[in-house]
Structure formats: C-alpha cells, structure tokens
Amino acid sequence: MHQSLSRVYCLIATALALVLLGASLNYAQPQQSASAVGQYVGSEACQTCHEEMFNQFKKTPHYVTLTKKDYKPEQQGCESCHGPGSAHVEAGGGAGTIASFKTMSSKQRAETCLKCHAKQDERINFKHSEHQISQVSCDACHSSHTPKFAANLLREETTTLCFSCHGEIRNSFALPFRHKVMEGVLSCTDCHNQHGGFNAQKRLVGTDQSCFKCHTDKQGPFTFEHMAVRIEGCTYCHSPHGSNNPRLLTRNRVQSLCLECHSGAGRLPAGDETPSFHNLATARFQNCTTCHTQIHGSNLNVLFFEQEAPV
Ligand code: HEC
Ligand code: HEC
Ligand code: HEC
Ligand code: HEC
Ligand code: HEC
Ligand code: HEC
Ligand code: HEC
Ligand code: HEC
Ligand code: HEC
Ligand code: HEC
C-alpha cells in the first residue's frame, strides 16, 4: 500500500515537473492523464515484443483507433489505455515503467476508460454509482484483451457476470412466479443500469421507470390515480425478481395487501377503510381485484371498477 502510494506521489511529482518544464519552454503539450509520463511511440513498437497480445487486440473493437484516422496519438491503440510508452520501450520493457491496471486505483482505471466513454450517455455518472463507490471498476466486468464474450467485451454472459458477485439473489429467480431472466426473456440490465446515472430511469437500483419500459399500461397518467402506486411504488405490492405468490405479489392473498392500508388498523386515516358492507367472511368480497379491477389507476372510475359500479 505504502509502496504504491509513494509511487503515485512520485508519478505526480514527475508529471508536475514535466508540465512546468513544458510551460517554461512554451511547448504545446497534448492533454495527458496524471500518470502519463514520456512520449507516445505508437503501437507498432509494442507489437515487436507483445506480438500475441497485439494479434488479440486486432480482434477487439478498440482496434478501430489504429485503423481510422480520427484518433490522436494519445487515443491510439495500446497507449490509449496504458499511456505513453517511450520510457518502457527504452528500458527494454519490464514492470513499473508503464501504466498497468494492476497498480492503478479503481478510480484511475475508470477514468482511463471514461476518457473516451463518457460522451454519448450517462456512463459519466459511473463515478457516483454503487459499483464505483465499492471499487467495482470497468475492468471487473469488461476485459480489454481476452473477453469471454466478444459482444460488449464482457468477461461473462450478463446473468452469470452479475451472479458472480450477487449470488444471494439467485434463489429469487427460481421461485414459482418470477421474471424470466434465467430463461433469457429479459436481462438484469433491463431494470438496472450497471453503469449508474442521474436519470431515475437509469439508476443502478431498479425504479418504477424501468418497469414502464415494458408495462406501459401501468404508467398513466390516470384521471383517478391509486395513491398507493404513486407514493409507495411498484415494489410495495410486487417483488420484482420473483415471488411465491401469483402476479409477483408481496403477500399471499390480495386482501392482506389491501387491508394493510384499507382497514381500521391500517395505514390510512379514517374514511378510507374498506366499507362495512364488504363482508370479508364471504368469498365474494375476499378477492378485491375482481371488482376493483383497475387497481393501478383508471380513467373511468374513482373506485377502479372496470366501468360503472357493478353492485
Ligand atoms: C522491448 C520489448 C518491449 C516493448 C517494445 C514493449 N514492451 Fe511492454 N513489456 C515488455 C516486458 C519484457 C514486460 C514484462 C513482462 C510482462 O509483463 O510481459 C512488459 C510489460 C508490460 C506491461 C505490464 C507492466 C507492469 O507494470 O506490469 C504493459 C502494460 C506493457 N508492457 C505494455 C506495453 C506497451 C503499451 C508497449 C508499447 C508502447 C510495450 N509494452 C512495448 C517488453 C516490451
Ligand atoms: C481499452 C484499453 C486497453 C487497450 C487499448 C490495451 N490494453 Fe493492455 N490492458 C488493459 C487492461 C484493463 C488490462 C488489465 C487486465 C485485463 O483487464 O484483462 C491490461 C493488461 C495488459 C498487460 C498485462 C499486464 C497488466 O498490466 O496487467 C499487458 C502486457 C498489456 N495490457 C499490453 C497491451 C498492449 C501491448 C496493447 C496493444 C496491443 C494493449 N495492452 C492495449 C487495457 C487495455
Ligand atoms: C457491473 C458490471 C459492469 C461495470 C462495472 C461496467 N460495465 Fe459496461 N457493461 C456491462 C454490461 C453487462 C454491458 C452489456 C450491455 C447491457 O446489458 O447493458 C455493458 C456494456 C458496455 C458498453 C457497450 C454498450 C453501451 O452501453 O454503449 C460500453 C462501451 C461499456 N459497457 C463501458 C463501460 C465503462 C467505460 C465502464 C467503467 C466506467 C463500465 N462499462 C463498467 C457491465 C459493466
Ligand atoms: C481512445 C478511446 C478509448 C478508450 C481509452 C477506451 N475505449 Fe472502449 N471503445 C472505443 C471505441 C472507438 C470503441 C468502438 C466503437 C464503439 O463501439 O463505440 C470502443 C468500444 C468499447 C466497448 C463496446 C464493445 C462492443 O462490443 O460494442 C466496450 C465494452 C468498451 N469499449 C470498453 C472500454 C473499457 C472497459 C475501457 C477501459 C479499460 C475502454 N473501453 C477504453 C474507444 C475507447
Ligand atoms: C465484481 C463484483 C460485481 C459484479 C460483477 C456486479 N456487481 Fe453489482 N455490486 C457489487 C458491489 C460490491 C455492490 C455494492 C453494494 C453491495 O454490496 O451489494 C454492488 C451493488 C449493486 C446494486 C445496488 C444494490 C443496492 O443494494 O443498492 C445493484 C442493483 C447491482 N449491483 C446490480 C448489478 C448487476 C445488474 C450486475 C451485472 C451487470 C452487477 N451488479 C455486477 C459488485 C458487483
Ligand atoms: C423486472 C426488473 C428487474 C430485473 C429483471 C432484475 N432486477 Fe434486481 N431489482 C429490481 C428492483 C425494482 C429492485 C429494488 C427492490 C426494492 O426496492 O425492494 C432490485 C434490487 C436488486 C438488488 C439489491 C438487493 C435486493 O435484493 O434488494 C440487486 C443486487 C439486484 N437487484 C440485482 C439484480 C440482478 C443480478 C439481476 C439479474 C439476475 C436483477 N437484479 C434483475 C428490479 C429488477
Ligand atoms: C424488459 C421488459 C420488462 C420489464 C423492464 C419489467 N417487466 Fe414485468 N414482466 C415482463 C414479462 C415479459 C412478463 C411476463 C412473464 C411471464 O409470463 O413469464 C412480466 C410479468 C410481470 C408481472 C406478473 C404478471 C402476471 O401476469 O403474472 C408483474 C407483477 C410484473 N411483471 C411487474 C413488473 C415490475 C414491478 C417491473 C419493474 C420493477 C417490471 N415488471 C419490469 C417484462 C418486463
Ligand atoms: C397497491 C398494490 C399494487 C401496486 C402499488 C402495484 N400493483 Fe401491480 N398488481 C397489484 C395486484 C393486486 C395485481 C393482481 C391483479 C389481479 O389479480 O388481477 C397486480 C397485477 C399486476 C400485473 C399483472 C396483471 C396486469 O394488470 O397486467 C402487472 C404487470 C403489474 N401489476 C405491474 C405493476 C407495476 C409496473 C407497478 C408499478 C407502477 C404496480 N404493478 C404497482 C397490485 C399493485
Ligand atoms: C400502501 C397503502 C395502500 C395499499 C396497499 C392499497 N391502497 Fe388503496 N388507496 C391507498 C390510498 C392512499 C388511497 C387514496 C385515499 C384517498 O384519496 O383518500 C387509496 C385509494 C383506494 C380506493 C379509492 C377509494 C378511496 O378510498 O379513495 C380504492 C377502491 C382502493 N384504494 C382499493 C384498494 C385495493 C383493492 C387494494 C389492494 C389491491 C389497495 N387499495 C391497496 C393506499 C393503499
Ligand atoms: C363484489 C365487488 C367488490 C369486491 C370484491 C370488493 N369491493 Fe370494495 N367496493 C365495492 C363497491 C360497490 C364499493 C362502493 C361503491 C360506492 O360507495 O358507491 C366499494 C368501495 C371500496 C372502497 C372505497 C371506500 C370509500 O368510500 O372511500 C374501498 C377502500 C374498497 N372498496 C376496498 C376493497 C377491498 C380492500 C376489497 C377486498 C378486501 C374490496 N374492496 C372488495 C365493491 C367491491
């Protein structure tokens, strides 16, 4: 720990010295990261010693930084991630003379990738995500050199990847009622944004917004909203991953769910109780949603009936 810290300080000091030198000589230095020391020598130089790695690299989407003319020296090939290589090449290779992901902090690793990948979308907010905060950086999920799955450079197929750290939730996808993630109908990343984001729809933790992508009919706006949906959200009544209860409900009987709020002892003020003519001892009244069918909200009926009161 001490060693790598002092190395960082040493690099910062060297970088600072270079900046000062550049300023005093009035050089127009290209923008470099804190750890970038030396000159860019081009990836052909790397190829001479790291032949196999170079050949692998050719198969990845990043190779485009060498074939297209759009990229500046600091954005090309090997050095786009490992920084300028002149010192390393002059030393004839070896550890400690070029930026290595083994010694970079998780923040530095993310910053290296975000130099190019922060532009089009919200990945810039990765910094504030639970993943980055917990030191889970880009390279935990992506492999730049030897991805197991070429698509998205993933180390594993998405579900396997997520379960490799979140194994404790695997059981919920084996329950009788579940979102069919294991069956490949939908993916963890349909509801979660592993990269984080500002937008409610893109937060790491699933939100109601993510549900509306598929269950559009539940979004409203409705003339008559059910305040439970708006205030408590979908997960008060549904377990998003899986459940022992039909419709992914959090309770085994619909009425238990409703009565948590709509009863004398419930969470609502007097006046919103289930009316007394509802004889809860009879089968007729027990399944609330046979009459109050539009339980997520309605444009027709304040009591969420299909149309007019059915009694
Ligand atoms: C003269 C041969 C040579 C050249 C040229 C060369 N390397 Fe290396 N490189 C080595 C050797 C030897 C090692 C140490 C053994 C290893 O890790 O493979 C090494 C290690 C590395 C490491 C790991 C460093 C560490 O601290 O663990 C990286 C990253 C690397 N090289 C990248 C590059 C890049 C990028 C280029 C082109 C700019 C390049 N190399 C050019 C020989 C070379
Ligand atoms: C897109 C970013 C990126 C590019 C481009 C890239 N690397 Fe790497 N490199 C990494 C990451 C990340 C690792 C850490 C291991 C891993 O995640 O697979 C790594 C690991 C290495 C290692 C092993 C030592 C170490 O630091 O772990 C060497 C050597 C290396 N790279 C050389 C090269 C060479 C040579 C090229 C060009 C042919 C290249 N890299 C291009 C990101 C990159
Ligand atoms: C927790 C795992 C994880 C982490 C950490 C992670 N990613 Fe991803 N990333 C994925 C998965 C899974 C996909 C596949 C697409 C999907 O399902 O959304 C992906 C897709 C991508 C894509 C291609 C598709 C797109 O969204 O444009 C890019 C580029 C990307 N990630 C870059 C990054 C960068 C840069 C970082 C770090 C700042 C990072 N990722 C961190 C898991 C991760
Ligand atoms: C010099 C700029 C640059 C850097 C630095 C960079 N990338 Fe990329 N990345 C690209 C380009 C260009 C592409 C290919 C075009 C595209 O898909 O946008 C790409 C594509 C990807 C993809 C999508 C692959 C696919 O199948 O569509 C992933 C994932 C990715 N990069 C992850 C990373 C990670 C992780 C790092 C850091 C270790 C990183 N990139 C560093 C420029 C960069
Ligand atoms: C390398 C390990 C690792 C991988 C792979 C990983 N995660 Fe995480 N994830 C974590 C850690 C550590 C946290 C921090 C909170 C915690 O301990 O659960 C976290 C947090 C989360 C959270 C927030 C949990 C909360 O309680 O706020 C979600 C959601 C999440 N990850 C989803 C995913 C998804 C989806 C994938 C696959 C694309 C994935 N993770 C892959 C390690 C990982
Ligand atoms: C249908 C949408 C959906 C899918 C698919 C989904 N999640 Fe979730 N997930 C959520 C929601 C919503 C929450 C928040 C639960 C809450 O607030 O009670 C959550 C919570 C989590 C948490 C936080 C811990 C917990 O159990 O509350 C983790 C970790 C997580 N999900 C990982 C995953 C992984 C890994 C996958 C894929 C195997 C996945 N999720 C698939 C919607 C989903
Ligand atoms: C990517 C699309 C998608 C997303 C996002 C999604 N769902 Fe689903 N959901 C489905 C599909 C498809 C089914 C049907 C499952 C089946 O038949 O196996 C389903 C089924 C359900 C069911 C059970 C319906 C029944 O008839 O048993 C509930 C409840 C549900 N989803 C709630 C949610 C909630 C809450 C969220 C947000 C946390 C959400 N869904 C996000 C696609 C999605
Ligand atoms: C107050 C509790 C409650 C809340 C909050 C709630 N639901 Fe439901 N939901 C139910 C009940 C009860 C059923 C079963 C209705 C039935 O038996 O016909 C259901 C059924 C469903 C179904 C399957 C049947 C259908 O109508 O398509 C889906 C999908 C669904 N809910 C999605 C959602 C989504 C998305 C949210 C958040 C916007 C949400 N629910 C919020 C109670 C709730
Ligand atoms: C989390 C608490 C909560 C749950 C659970 C809940 N509701 Fe509600 N419900 C409310 C609130 C709050 C209102 C609005 C009360 C008001 O406007 O005075 C409401 C309104 C209603 C109304 C409209 C009449 C009125 O009192 O305004 C009906 C009918 C209703 N709910 C039925 C149900 C049924 C059936 C269920 C079970 C599927 C259920 N609710 C579950 C909180 C809940
Ligand atoms: C057989 C049909 C039927 C069933 C089943 C049913 N209700 Fe009702 N519900 C009604 C009718 C009819 C009204 C009131 C009509 C009126 O006042 O004009 C009503 C009104 C309500 C109200 C509104 C009270 C108010 O005036 O603010 C609530 C809350 C309610 N029901 C909850 C429930 C709950 C909880 C269940 C399940 C335990 C349930 N209902 C089952 C028919 C039904």
Side-chain angles (χ1 to χ4, degrees):
M1 195 66 214
H2 277 298
Q3 220 182 353
S4 63
L5 256 189
S6 59
R7 191 166 161 266
V8 170
Y9 285 132
C10 175
L11 286 173
I12 291 171
T14 321
L16 200 66
L18 276 183
V19 168
L20 289 177
L21 186 73
S24 66
L25 296 176
N26 214 3
Y27 275 168
Q29 292 272 349
Q31 272 265 291
Q32 295 182 350
S33 73
S35 60
V37 181
Q39 307 297 315
Y40 292 95
V41 297
S43 297
E44 301 78 31
C46 321
Q47 188 180 6
T48 55
C49 297
H50 299 283
E51 176 85 45
E52 203 186 314
M53 230 158 183
F54 189 88
N55 290 339
Q56 268 168 347
F57 179 66
K58 266 187 166 172
K59 297 181 206 144
T60 75
H62 286 122
Y63 188 57
V64 72
T65 61
L66 289 177
T67 54
K68 273 203 188 160
K69 294 217 157 54
D70 312 350
Y71 300 92
K72 300 188 201 96
E74 69 269 22
Q75 298 173 324
Q76 288 173 12
C78 316
E79 292 171 299
S80 68
C81 289
H82 291 288
S86 62
H88 178 67
V89 173
E90 277 158 29
T97 49
I98 191 165
S100 162
F101 280 72
K102 280 187 277 192
T103 48
M104 281 190 238
S105 71
S106 100
K107 191 163 165 261
Q108 286 171 323
R109 282 179 274 151
E111 276 166 1
T112 304
C113 310
L114 289 172
K115 275 191 300 187
C116 298
H117 286 291
K119 285 171 202 139
Q120 295 107 329
D121 64 13
E122 298 187 85
R123 241 177 272 120
I124 181 87
N125 297 309
F126 185 72
K127 305 200 233 348
H128 310 292
S129 73
E130 284 92 337
H131 278 146
Q132 179 64 83
I133 290 166
S134 313
Q135 324 278 308
V136 177
S137 199
C138 319
D139 56 325
C141 300
H142 298 284
S143 167
S144 305
H145 290 287
T146 48
K148 192 152 167 200
F149 285 81
N152 297 313
L153 291 173
L154 290 181
R155 291 195 180 277
E156 292 286 352
E157 170 277 321
T158 301
T159 315
T160 315
L161 178 70
C162 307
F163 281 147
S164 68
C165 297
H166 297 289
E168 74 286 356
I169 61 161
R170 187 189 283 268
N171 291 343
S172 48
F173 288 99
L175 294 172
F177 303 93
R178 58 183 182 266
H179 270 113
K180 291 187 174 149
V181 170
M182 306 311 284
E183 295 84 344
V185 175
L186 67 170
S187 160
C188 311
T189 54
D190 278 323
C191 298
H192 297 288
N193 186 340
Q194 69 281 10
H195 301 127
F198 284 134
N199 184 332
Q201 197 169 350
K202 293 235 169 176
R203 276 188 38 215
L204 188 52
V205 176
T207 60
D208 290 359
Q209 286 299 322
S210 69
C211 315
F212 298 147
K213 189 166 73 182
C214 299
H215 301 291
T216 44
D217 60 319
K218 305 290 184 284
Q219 181 163 20
F222 299 108
T223 314
F224 305 108
E225 283 185 276
H226 190 186
M227 293 306 277
V229 179
R230 171 120 77 86
I231 296 172
E232 301 287 349
C234 314
T235 53
Y236 186 89
C237 301
H238 299 288
S239 304
H241 295 159
S243 165
N244 281 313
N245 312 313
R247 310 291 191 213
L248 300 177
L249 289 177
T250 50
R251 303 287 178 271
N252 62 353
R253 300 198 310 168
V254 171
Q255 60 159 311
S256 328
L257 194 55
C258 312
L259 295 176
E260 268 167 32
C261 295
H262 294 286
S263 71
R267 299 171 42 151
L268 297 184
D272 291 317
E273 303 98 316
T274 307
S276 52
F277 76 87
H278 288 51
N279 183 350
L280 298 181
T282 63
R284 180 164 185 249
F285 280 102
Q286 278 167 2
N287 194 354
C288 316
T289 45
T290 52
C291 295
H292 303 283
T293 52
Q294 306 306 104
I295 200 62
H296 302 95
S298 163
N299 290 323
L300 296 172
N301 191 298
V302 67
L303 296 176
F304 317 130
F305 299 133
E306 198 73 58
Q307 292 152 9
E308 296 301 309
V311 168

